[in-house]
Structure formats: C-alpha cells, structure tokens
Amino acid sequence: MPTTDAARTAKHPGAVLFDVDGTLVDSSYIHTLAWWQAFRQAGYDVPMASIHRSVGMGGDRILDHLLPEDRDPDGDADIMTSHAAVFSTFWPSLRRLDGARDLLAQCFDTGLAVALASSARDRDLEILRATIDADAYIHAATSSADAKESKPAPDILAAALEAVGVAAENAVYVGDAVWDIYAAGALGIPAIGLTCGGTSEAELREAGAVDVYESPRALLDNLAGSAIGRLAARVRGN
C-alpha cells in the first residue's frame, strides 16, 4: 500500500477517504467502455447502461453481477485482463475532475488525513495519482491488492483507515457510486456522494449519502457546511 512519511509519523484526529475513478478522475464512462469491449471479446453482449450502473464495484463483482451464473469461470481472468488492456489505452486521455486537486489540498490543510480508498489495480492507481497530481496532499492510498473483498464490501475503506491510523467514527468518505456509499455505511462512515460519475442524487441519497454535490469543485465550495466540515469542526473541538 503506498503510504507517505506523513502518514507514518503524524497522528491525525480524523480522515477524509476518497474514491478515485469517477470521483476525482473523469473515468467512469471509460471503464464502462472498457468493460463493454472486454465482454464483447469474450462473447457477451452486455448493455452499456447496465455496465455503468455496476462501475464502482470490484472487477470480480462486476463479472458476477453482469454475466450468467453458469458461465465458465475459467474465462473471467481473461475478461479482466482485456478490461485492463482497453482501459490502459485511455491513460493519456485521463483528466482530473474540476476542483479535485484543490479539494484534496483543502482537506489536507484542515489537519485531517487524506487517503485514497480505491480498488484500482496498482498500475492504474499510479496513473490515476499522476493525473490528480496531488501527492503532496495524500497521506495514503489503497489498491485492489489491499483488500480481500471489493466494494461494496468495506475492506478497501478499512485498509485506508488502518494506513492513516484513524477510527471509522472519525472519518468521512467521498464517492460517486452507490457501491461507495454502501461500503462506507458498512463501517458507519458518513458518505458524501458526487454525481460527476453519472449516478443521480436520488440514487446516492437512497443508498445512504448524507450530502450530495455535483463535483469536487461544488464540494470544495461548500466544504464548511459538508460532512467534512462538520468532522473537522468536531475533531478540533476535541
């Protein structure tokens, strides 16, 4: 797990955990296309709309969710490899979402730990972090290698909390998919939903999001009144 020296040496009163794909980087629809192509190569015709609604789960769960139960599971690894290969062709086109870098910097400046709680593959995470260009404000990050179960299981979030030494009751999670909100809820962590990944406000609130904003920029502009602002105020009071 990539962890900075700051995360190892500092004691943090609280933490903000961030999903990455669709939350900080505009990649949700690229993943949709990559999965669609991988499925087609394997002989499965899965509608893009169904794929998009599943993005945010781990790859293993996406396969179980979208493909027939009676398929030959020996082909799953090839499908996941195909998805990774297609996604990698878009690496040069990846862009961070408006306000993403500034949002991480502002959370860092509040004294809260900042952790990326991503289930991306290690190499993808490296590219995503380079796209965000905010490593100076990130204390720790997770990848798919850091969790036994993928979202909506909370393992990735638990790993990120462990990396920064913060308990779940002193954390907030920011994500763009209902699977992010479910994962946070499993640990009792308040979750902020962002609609920039293509999931509606109604769906995110129904999943349990305590706040919903359009983008990282919108969250940054309303940070003091958000769950992050409330957490910062509470831990400062302690």
Side-chain angles (χ1 to χ4, degrees):
M1 175 188 303
T3 305
T4 67
D5 290 340
R8 296 189 187 97
T9 61
K11 179 175 176 59
H12 305 285
V16 187
L17 313 181
F18 288 90
D19 174 56
V20 179
D21 281 302
T23 299
L24 299 174
V25 176
D26 194 7
S27 55
S28 289
Y29 290 94
I30 296 175
H31 276 296
T32 298
L33 179 60
W35 281 117
W36 179 81
Q37 185 63 50
F39 290 148
R40 289 292 296 271
Q41 291 174 0
Y44 298 105
D45 188 5
V46 183
M48 282 194 178
S50 298
I51 296 171
H52 177 258
R53 294 179 67 84
S54 302
V55 169
M57 292 182 179
D60 55 338
R61 290 183 182 268
I62 286 178
L63 298 185
D64 288 340
H65 189 64
L66 294 176
L67 299 184
E69 291 183 5
D70 60 354
R71 71 184 185 280
D72 181 358
D74 290 341
D76 287 2
D78 288 339
I79 295 173
M80 294 181 71
T81 298
S82 295
H83 164 265
V86 175
F87 185 72
S88 70
T89 67
F90 289 93
W91 284 348
S93 302
L94 291 175
R95 296 293 182 270
R96 65 174 178 256
L97 285 155
D98 180 40
R101 188 175 190 274
D102 294 338
L103 175 59
L104 296 181
Q106 188 60 45
C107 290
F108 181 93
D109 287 344
T110 65
L112 299 172
V114 175
L116 305 183
S118 170
S119 54
R121 301 174 185 88
D122 286 339
R123 181 56 178 152
D124 285 342
L125 183 60
E126 290 177 16
I127 299 300
L128 292 165
R129 290 182 68 160
T131 301
I132 301 167
D133 189 25
D135 274 1
Y137 312 117
I138 297 170
H139 295 93
T142 66
S143 71
S144 59
D146 297 308
K148 181 178 180 181
E149 298 287 340
S150 59
K151 298 173 191 173
D155 300 27
I156 290 290
L157 281 68
L161 289 173
E162 182 179 0
V164 294
V166 173
E169 58 264 29
N170 292 323
V172 171
Y173 186 48
V174 183
D176 70 291
V178 295
W179 318 111
D180 298 318
I181 311 303
Y182 294 149
L187 295 178
I189 299 174
I192 297 174
L194 301 184
T195 61
C196 48
T199 301
S200 70
E201 177 176 356
E203 290 172 296
L204 291 168
R205 289 197 181 278
E206 184 178 358
V210 297
D211 299 319
V212 178
Y213 299 94
E214 182 179 354
S215 64
R217 176 67 64 190
L219 173 53
L220 177 62
D221 290 344
N222 295 277
L223 196 64
S226 73
I228 295 172
R230 295 190 292 274
L231 171 64
R234 176 169 62 82
V235 297
R236 281 197 300 265
N238 291 341

